[in-house]
Amino acid sequence: MDDQASAVRVPRVLLPQPGIDIARWAVIACDQFTAEPDYWAEVEDVVGDAPSTLRMILPELYLHAPDVAERVAACQETMRRYEAEGILEAHEALLYVERQVSRGVQRGLLVEIDLDAYDFRPQARTPIRATEGTVIDRLPPRVAVRRDADLELPHVLVLYDDPDGAVLAAVDAARDTLRTAYDADLMAGSGHLRGFLVEDPDVQAATLAALAALVTPEAYARRYGLAADAPLLLAVGDGNHSLAAAATIWAEHKASGAGPDHPARYALVELVNLHDPSLHFEPIHRLVTHAPGLADALVAAVGGIVTPVPDAAAARDAVADATGQVFALVSAAGVAVVEARTPSHQLAVGTVQAFVDGWLAEHPHAEADYIHEGDVVDRLGRAPDALGILLPGIAKEDFFASVAVDGPFPRKTFSMGHGHDKRFYLECRRIRP
């Protein structure tokens, strides 16, 4: 069996029947705005009594609520009721998606991926892998939601590395003939969403063949300089813990004797080209408090060449423009750029995080925080006994090679866009026979 060809297939996707108000049906990924109950209260007000994916998902705001078991049961009952009432309509098709996000229009492709081709462990050599370390303690609530569910609703975004745009070429050529599946504004200022059914078998076959061709031995060696003995076809960008929960449930089914045709073997995800112009990796910086001696220890560990700079703005520019592994330190002593001459990982964030993790284990009074805004790091890093670490963003040309060589990125390495840009639930798929 060709692992690449079998890792992805055309889905049997369930969409709301015509007449369902998509603006109230679609809601944002459950792991967003978990510290903002007002956001989810607004969602409740918008949805009201209308059919909605809100009734089939558990916003993680409520993961530790005293009635969480009742909430999960209500989600699963709603799935059964919507199916019984004929609210959902089945389509055997790829789904081409255009989503307005902060940086333009993001183009995606809804497919089924084989969970036997996915592994979230750091040493994975499967065609589909995680891009961030999986926190096992975060899986049980997601597993509980999925275990007795009839349906899955995807918010997982999976990346593929296609600088030439070959995967969507056949879809682009047929774009004017595709049937519209939905076309609507999303709630709470999250932009516009359109979906189109790719039903032509020839277009489907050409699309999946172009995807598999990305990791032929010749293509893999040309792009990464690596042997294709265990090529990385797809890298999970958003929703890794939800996908890991799906894999956990599939493992339970297999252990109970489920056959290879069981629908839980597959998961519905949206594929997005790493090179889509709308896709941007925002760096996540570090702030360590109660950290005397950390700066000197870090510089020594990475063979650092230290260059003082006037301020954090200059440091961010230097880090962004550097060709080697470079990061910046902000402390009460000032701001400096550090070039790592003896890095331990493919990327600066991996080199820094690996050392900081070890240092924190030896200094239990120190605390690390993860901060998106560079100006916040500049302000807080200057406090006594604090250290801010400004990190570069991930270059797209380094992304897949880093995962292939080093495994998943350290936690909190990057953010794919802003909260309002995260995927909305809309499509469904049956995961019980």
Side-chain angles (χ1 to χ4, degrees), residues 147-375:
R147 179 171 283 118
D148 294 318
D150 284 22
L151 305 175
E152 65 173 354
L153 292 82
H155 78 257
V156 180
L157 291 179
V158 178
L159 303 175
Y160 62 94
D161 189 2
D162 181 19
D164 299 323
V167 171
L168 288 180
V171 174
D172 288 340
R175 173 68 172 77
D176 292 341
T177 68
L178 302 180
R179 185 156 59 102
T180 300
Y182 46 75
D183 188 344
D185 288 330
L186 297 173
M187 66 176 68
S190 284
H192 195 85
L193 181 66
R194 296 193 294 177
F196 303 88
L197 295 166
V198 183
E199 299 168 295
D200 185 325
D202 291 336
V203 177
Q204 294 174 354
T207 301
L208 297 185
L211 184 66
L214 295 177
V215 290
T216 62
E218 298 78 14
Y220 209 68
R222 181 175 64 254
R223 189 171 298 121
Y224 311 121
L226 299 173
D229 52 336
L232 172 63
L233 175 66
L234 301 173
V236 183
D238 265 348
N240 181 66
H241 286 85
S242 291
L243 197 59
T248 301
I249 291 294
W250 169 230
E252 292 179 1
H253 283 305
K254 284 196 293 185
S256 299
D261 294 331
H262 195 289
R265 175 178 170 176
Y266 294 85
L268 195 62
V269 305
E270 182 178 340
L271 304 185
V272 177
N273 188 357
L274 175 68
H275 300 276
D276 191 295
S278 73
L279 192 63
H280 184 69
F281 296 123
E282 302 283 352
I284 302 177
H285 309 294
R286 273 58 174 161
L287 176 73
V288 185
T289 53
H290 308 294
L294 173 57
D296 290 341
L298 174 57
V299 169
V302 303
I305 304 298
V306 180
T307 304
V309 294
D311 52 37
R316 289 198 295 271
D317 289 342
V319 167
D321 295 339
T323 55
Q325 281 202 26
V326 174
F327 55 91
L329 302 178
V330 180
S331 70
V335 184
V337 171
V338 179
E339 180 184 356
R341 292 295 183 90
T342 56
S344 60
H345 286 68
Q346 292 283 307
L347 299 177
V349 63
T351 296
V352 168
Q353 190 66 48
F355 180 82
V356 169
D357 282 344
W359 191 90
L360 289 172
E362 298 174 358
H363 298 78
H365 296 297
E367 296 181 5
D369 199 359
Y370 302 91
I371 298 178
H372 292 254
E373 297 80 14
D375 57 343

Side-chain angles (χ1 to χ4, degrees), residues 54 61 70 90 113 123 139 153 174 227 255 350 356 369 399:
L54 178 63
L61 171 72
E70 290 81 1
I113 61 171
Q123 67 273 26
L139 296 185
L153 292 82
V356 169
D369 199 359
F399 189 91

Side-chain angles (χ1 to χ4, degrees), residues 385-420:
D385 285 344
L387 181 68
I389 307 174
L390 294 167
L391 292 164
I394 299 174
K396 291 184 177 183
E397 58 268 23
D398 296 332
F399 189 91
F400 267 63
S402 180
V403 175
V405 173
D406 286 336
F409 294 111
R411 64 189 180 278
K412 301 292 186 181
T413 294
F414 64 89
S415 173
M416 284 176 53
H418 303 290
H420 285 280

